[in-house]
Amino acid sequence: MGPLLMLRWAARDLRRRWPQVVAIALIISIGTGIYAGLGSTATWRRESNDASFELLGMYDLRVRATEGTDAAVGEMLAVLGDLPRPGIVATAEERLIAATQVDASAAGRTILVPGRVVGMDLSGGGPHVNDVHLAEGGGRDLTAADGGRPVALLERNFADHYGLPPEGAVRVAGGRGVDYVGIGLAPEYFLVTTEEGGFFAEANFAVLFTSLATAQDLAGRPGRVNDLVLRLAPGVDRSRAAAEVESAFAASGAGLGVTVMQPEDEDAYRLLYDDIESDQRFWNIFAGLILAGATFGAFNLASRMVEAQRREIGVGMALGWTRRRLAVRPLLVGAQIALLGALFGVAMGLIAVAALRPVYEGFLPLPVWHTGIQPGVFAQGAVLGFALPLLATAWPVWRAVRVMPVDAISTAHRAGRGGLAPLLRRLRWPVSAFRRMPVGNVLRAPRRTVLTALGIGAAVTTLVAILGMLDSFAATLDRHDREVLGAHPDRMLVAFDGLGTEDGPGVEAVRGAASVGEVAPLLRTGATLRSSEGDDIEVLLEAVDLDSDLWAPTAAEGTVAAGSRGIVLARKAADDLGAGPGDTVTLEHPVRRGDGFALVETPIEVAAVHPNPFRFSAYVDRSLLADFGVPAAVNGLYVLPAAGHDVADVQRELFGLEGVASVQPVGATSQVVEDSLADFAAVFRVLEAFVLLLALLIAYNAASINADERARERATLFAFGLPLRRVVALETAEAALVGVLGTAVGVAAGLLVVRWVVATTVSNTMPDIGMDVAISGGTVLLAVVLGVVAVALGPLFTVRRLRRMDIPGTLRVVE
């Protein structure tokens, strides 16, 4: 057989089997395309971060004055003239940053949050360091003409959370009105994490960017600055420059007590870069899972497609063709699948990139996003897409050409006596032979049944794993809400701007407010826990009345009781410390020493374990405050609205009250976490769509290849007079049985994958969260629909072929 004839024969095979070839190529392309798309996310994020920070001139060094101190305009800049190497500074600008409160209430909705006013140098088209990027459709930018006018840009994350328009008005502390003329992004607030607002702070922290003169006027500090941002000359070592700047300010006698910061000292900067590699490892798991599912599905289908040509290979051997020649033809089919798989894989990768791009742009708001094709990753995907079908075809071809011709031609192996079919003789069913046929077909070819079920199971496993992660996040958040909200979901946290006492004027002012009902004192402080068996854990320690009716932590283990001398830890913290109720851990915490505070280490017993999934949540009874040297100390209050009042009434009445830094519902942070989870889940939704397509393609091809394998059996049924609907019903029942097996395997394997991901990757990438493992009923139902119903409907795609079947020709044994 010459090469030209072989190519023509391969072309004939392609025409005859083009739906199967295209479907298998698409299955491969989904796996390789998603692999290429998800494998590019780390590069996207790193390049986008670099470009975004560079676009806005992120500072190389920042000189921040001690809280409450400031200098006259020009004084901080003048210190730079005393540097040993003044030329190391390329650009420097002074700013004034002042704490305030922001009232953005509108249209009957109360929005009262702590915030900052950032005054910038707008002269000469500035600011040139830490600029503010005007969001798309976000109004207009600030200009030098806005100097001294009460206009500003509103920080984007806050504006997006509350759905504020691009232009509007807000009020700041003292009742001063400020018109915001646009919405902007600044490098320090790409992710909003502040001491005042917390980690997920876009819901309870607002920033106004304005001119230096306007900020000075709003803060009541005319002609003063307290912040200096610098860009260094190219090639200057930042650490050395930071030491020189710090020494210059220390020797200046300005009395500012400055802190010299580098970009890594900003939470937003550090988190954006630190999360890249851990997130990539997380997505690599699901990219690999989808690729494995696609590979197994394609391998199974390609194997069965070659097995369907078993008799043709046997006839060729009987006619004297060599094994090598016989192997070329089906391998050419594999090459066709490989070539199409590689081409489709690149196209599917581009589709995946297009689907993932808006998701990333939504939950990581950067001014610049680079989501271009990564040639290296796409080349890997293309190579995989070409190699996998060839391997999937080569193995069954090798098996087929090694059998004796008479065995390959024989149809006895299909007669119903092989495999596990003899088990049917032990079942005394009062049904006809035709009705027992689906079970018999499943049992008599166990290898084919198992491979098909595993192919379906691979797709179901991927789907369950993806949706199971969403279920697990949702279950974890529900557990957090149940614990934090307790019996009073309208509970609010009133935070003070300093340390006071239970009978101090600030607390009494809040107690006396007409809208405030029950009040419980609170002290929050940072602390560190350690034990001999675990690493150090940073916690947010809350001193509360453990017998309070308003709110107190609940006990999953141990006992929470008033007057307890122990600490109540989260389950995740207890596990990481290797401690439980009755064990002793070391608590490093501040204590008052004279006019200041010092850190000390105190052994403390674990009294109980609470169910909050966040490990940084830790509680002690307020009776222990005497040991800390601050008896009856408070820096916050839990409050409930009085009868006839709501949360908005409390916020309005306490807004601007002297000493009150913020008034926020305790559920505000939970809402931000839920919103962040929804953004994160959007990636899974994209993957879900591809996995659904993958499963449907596997179901279709399984039915199509089954039609080729079982063509003589179907012709025999037609020859015995069975109508088309009966034959299709039998095939549907058989497909449903295989689908049930595949779905059961897929659901079980998906649960194991979720457990493994939570136990390994999530615990490393998100160490502060004790994740639940949950598979919802909705996920199982969708798996059943996909693995059973969709597979059972697969034979319907072969109805047209059955209608046109040449029964005598199909029954003919000699070809």
Side-chain angles (χ1 to χ4, degrees), residues 503-555:
D503 57 356
V507 175
E508 291 303 319
V510 173
R511 290 182 185 276
S515 61
V516 173
E518 189 175 350
V519 174
L522 167 73
L523 178 68
R524 281 183 165 184
T525 184
T528 302
L529 286 169
R530 63 177 59 95
S531 72
S532 58
E533 298 183 15
D535 296 330
D536 291 359
I537 295 177
E538 302 294 328
V539 297
L540 178 62
L541 185 65
E542 295 189 16
V544 298
D545 289 326
L546 292 183
D547 62 346
S548 173
D549 293 331
L550 198 156
W551 184 84
T554 59

Side-chain angles (χ1 to χ4, degrees), residues 329-685:
R329 179 186 168 195
L331 285 176
L332 284 176
V333 176
Q336 294 166 357
I337 297 173
L339 181 60
L340 287 177
L343 295 176
F344 289 170
V346 174
M348 196 66 70
L350 295 174
I351 294 173
V353 168
L356 290 170
R357 181 186 295 117
V359 174
Y360 272 90
E361 290 176 351
F363 74 80
L364 286 176
L366 299 175
V368 179
W369 265 101
H370 289 169
T371 55
I373 295 175
Q374 305 301 317
V377 179
F378 274 77
Q380 293 177 16
V383 170
L384 287 171
F386 187 84
L388 292 176
L390 284 179
L391 294 175
T393 307
W395 181 66
V397 169
W398 179 80
R399 289 183 69 252
V401 298
R402 288 174 61 85
V403 302
M404 296 298 293
V406 66
D407 293 331
I409 296 174
S410 173
T411 60
H413 70 288
R414 303 182 187 273
R417 298 180 180 177
L420 302 177
L423 291 177
L424 287 176
R425 299 173 185 173
R426 302 178 181 274
L427 300 178
R428 303 303 182 193
W429 294 355
V431 293
S432 68
F434 287 123
R435 293 183 180 180
R436 297 177 63 167
M437 188 174 292
V439 179
N441 289 336
V442 168
L443 294 177
R444 72 179 179 177
R447 176 178 167 275
R448 181 187 65 195
T449 298
V450 169
L451 284 177
T452 304
L454 289 179
I456 296 167
V460 173
T461 296
T462 307
L463 180 69
V464 171
I466 289 174
L467 296 184
M469 289 304 302
L470 296 178
D471 294 337
S472 298
F473 276 113
T476 302
L477 200 56
D478 287 344
R479 176 158 58 96
H480 169 264
D481 288 348
R482 287 194 301 271
E483 175 66 10
V484 170
L485 299 181
H488 299 287
D490 56 346
R491 187 173 91 259
M492 306 180 70
L493 172 63
V494 178
F496 295 110
D497 56 12
L499 193 64
T501 60
E502 293 182 21
D503 57 356
V507 175
E508 291 303 319
V510 173
R511 290 182 185 276
S515 61
V516 173
E518 189 175 350
V519 174
L522 167 73
L523 178 68
R524 281 183 165 184
T525 184
T528 302
L529 286 169
R530 63 177 59 95
S531 72
S532 58
E533 298 183 15
D535 296 330
D536 291 359
I537 295 177
E538 302 294 328
V539 297
L540 178 62
L541 185 65
E542 295 189 16
V544 298
D545 289 326
L546 292 183
D547 62 346
S548 173
D549 293 331
L550 198 156
W551 184 84
T554 59
E557 292 182 28
T559 303
V560 174
S564 171
R565 307 294 294 174
I567 188 169
V568 183
L569 301 180
R571 163 54 57 198
K572 184 66 164 60
D575 289 344
D576 290 347
L577 291 170
D583 295 328
T584 299
V585 296
T586 300
L587 177 67
E588 184 182 73
H589 60 93
V591 297
R592 186 183 292 278
R593 293 284 172 83
D595 295 332
F597 286 87
L599 289 177
V600 300
E601 294 186 354
T602 302
I604 189 169
E605 182 180 336
V606 178
V609 172
H610 65 76
N612 194 321
F614 293 102
R615 76 171 182 178
F616 54 74
S617 299
Y619 308 94
V620 294
D621 191 73
R622 288 186 59 79
S623 61
L624 281 181
L625 291 180
D627 297 345
F628 296 174
V630 285
V634 297
N635 57 10
L637 298 171
Y638 284 137
V639 305
L640 289 179
H645 294 273
D646 57 17
V647 169
D649 294 335
V650 177
Q651 289 181 305
R652 280 191 292 267
E653 185 171 3
L654 300 187
F655 179 70
L657 202 64
E658 185 175 357
V660 174
S662 67
V663 184
Q664 288 295 307
V666 293
T669 299
S670 294
Q671 184 59 52
V672 176
V673 174
E674 288 181 10
D675 293 343
S676 300
L677 174 61
D679 293 334
F680 186 73
V683 178
F684 285 104
R685 296 301 180 195

Side-chain angles (χ1 to χ4, degrees), residues 3 87-88 157 169 270 272 304 379 390 448 514 593 653 781 806:
I88 65 174
N157 290 287
R270 186 179 64 257
L272 280 173
R304 290 188 58 190
L390 284 179
R448 181 187 65 195
R593 293 284 172 83
E653 185 171 3
L781 178 61
D806 178 7

Side-chain angles (χ1 to χ4, degrees), residues 89-314:
V89 178
T91 309
E93 294 178 345
E94 292 176 323
R95 306 190 299 181
L96 177 69
I97 301 178
T100 189
Q101 289 189 321
V102 177
D103 181 0
S105 304
R109 182 173 55 164
T110 300
I111 306 173
L112 300 169
V113 298
R116 289 178 192 159
V117 175
V118 179
M120 308 174 296
D121 185 358
L122 300 181
S123 61
H128 302 97
V129 185
N130 276 41
D131 195 4
V132 181
H133 175 76
L134 188 68
E136 185 176 350
R140 70 169 179 86
D141 209 345
L142 295 175
T143 66
D146 293 316
R149 299 175 55 204
V151 297
L153 295 178
L154 184 62
E155 197 275 318
R156 173 182 162 175
N157 290 287
F158 173 78
D160 283 355
H161 179 79
Y162 288 105
L164 299 177
E167 298 178 359
V170 298
R171 288 191 302 133
V172 297
R176 301 285 298 276
V178 178
D179 293 327
Y180 68 89
V181 296
I183 294 173
L185 275 169
E188 295 149 295
Y189 303 100
F190 286 161
L191 292 177
V192 186
T193 57
T194 68
E195 293 180 1
E196 300 94 325
F199 183 72
F200 296 103
E202 55 262 37
N204 51 15
F205 190 80
V207 183
L208 292 170
F209 306 99
T210 187
S211 68
L212 184 57
T214 299
Q216 292 166 342
D217 179 47
L218 293 174
R221 299 158 79 173
R224 311 300 289 181
V225 294
N226 60 5
D227 202 73
L228 178 68
V229 285
L230 296 76
R231 294 273 286 183
L232 300 176
V236 174
D237 180 78
R238 282 191 303 167
S239 297
R240 181 183 174 189
E244 292 180 10
V245 170
E246 189 169 10
S247 297
F249 271 89
S252 68
L256 295 176
V258 301
T259 300
V260 179
M261 302 171 59
Q262 298 187 40
E264 292 79 9
D265 297 322
E266 290 284 357
D267 288 337
Y269 186 96
R270 186 179 64 257
L271 291 172
L272 280 173
Y273 281 100
D274 287 351
D275 282 348
I276 290 176
E277 293 304 324
S278 59
D279 286 353
Q280 185 63 67
R281 287 193 296 270
F282 184 81
W283 294 125
N284 283 345
I285 291 175
F286 290 94
L289 188 62
I290 293 174
L291 179 61
T295 300
F296 192 87
F299 180 87
N300 174 39
L301 295 173
S303 300
R304 290 188 58 190
M305 190 170 68
V306 174
E307 290 283 0
Q309 301 179 18
R310 171 190 175 114
R311 292 185 62 254
E312 296 179 31
I313 293 175

